[in-house]
Structures are given as C-alpha cells and as structure tokens.
Amino acid sequence: MTMWRIALMTGIMFPSLQACGTATIEDAVPVGALHSAQPAAPPATFSATGAYPNLNVIPVPASEQLTEGEVERKTEELRRRRETLSAGGSVAPSDMQALRTLGNSHADDALKVIEGR
C-alpha cells in the first residue's frame, strides 16, 4: 500500500483523529465564565504611571526616630544579653536540675498515659 492510501483510510476509518487539535478554550467554556462578574481591581501604585518621583520632597517619617543615646543604650543592652546567653548564665543551676528532672520524668509519664496505666 502506498502512503496516500493509508492516509485516506485512516481519515475515513478514524475521523476523530482529525479533530483532535481543533478545540479551543472558547469552545469548551461558556463565554460568561471566561470573564469575571466584577472587574479586577487595579494594582495599588504609589506614583502616577509615567511620572517620575520628585526627589526634592523630603519624606515624612512614619514614627519618631531613635536618638543617638537611645540607640547606644539599646545596643549595650543587647550586647549584655548576648554575652549572658553565650556564657550559659540564662538558667540558674537549681532551675537546670529541676528542668532535667522534669525532662527525665516526662517520657515515663507519657508512656503511662499511652499504655493506660
């Protein structure tokens, strides 16, 4: 058989193969479903489109800025906290023993609850 006869027979015997790629989304979905009932809100913009911002206008701060003294005090406070935590002095030794005891008994208590004892 020649190629044209095979092509002719497949076109006659399997017409569904010819229609495989012709469907579009508009054919499958109703026209009203493609467009939402409410138009989408435009994205929020902070300046007019196509206009350059005026760099000569000084922006107004949202809140009061920290003074130099406040910055130094906060920095020193954070530095002391970091040193305390890195030295391991965050938990007192008596509290550490109590936490270890609690941690060791926690597993036993959980097993008792699971086993129903």
Side-chain angles (χ1 to χ4, degrees), residues 1-14 18:
M1 283 188 154
T2 61
M3 289 300 272
W4 67 271
R5 285 186 182 171
I6 294 173
L8 181 63
M9 285 176 32
T10 48
I12 293 171
M13 293 172 59
F14 304 107
Q18 294 176 344

Side-chain angles (χ1 to χ4, degrees), residues 18-98:
Q18 294 176 344
C20 282
T22 59
T24 62
I25 191 69
E26 288 82 13
D27 296 335
V29 179
V31 176
L34 291 176
H35 305 288
S36 63
Q38 298 175 354
T45 57
F46 295 103
S47 63
T49 305
Y52 292 101
N54 186 353
L55 299 177
N56 296 322
V57 176
I58 299 173
V60 178
S63 64
E64 292 183 22
Q65 304 299 308
L66 296 175
T67 63
E68 289 297 322
E70 291 173 331
V71 171
E72 290 175 10
R73 282 194 302 273
K74 290 289 184 184
T75 304
E76 185 60 34
E77 178 186 343
L78 291 172
R79 187 174 292 120
R80 278 182 298 187
R81 280 179 156 175
R82 181 181 60 202
E83 290 170 358
T84 303
L85 291 174
S86 65
S90 62
V91 179
S94 61
D95 293 340
M96 184 63 77
Q97 184 59 34

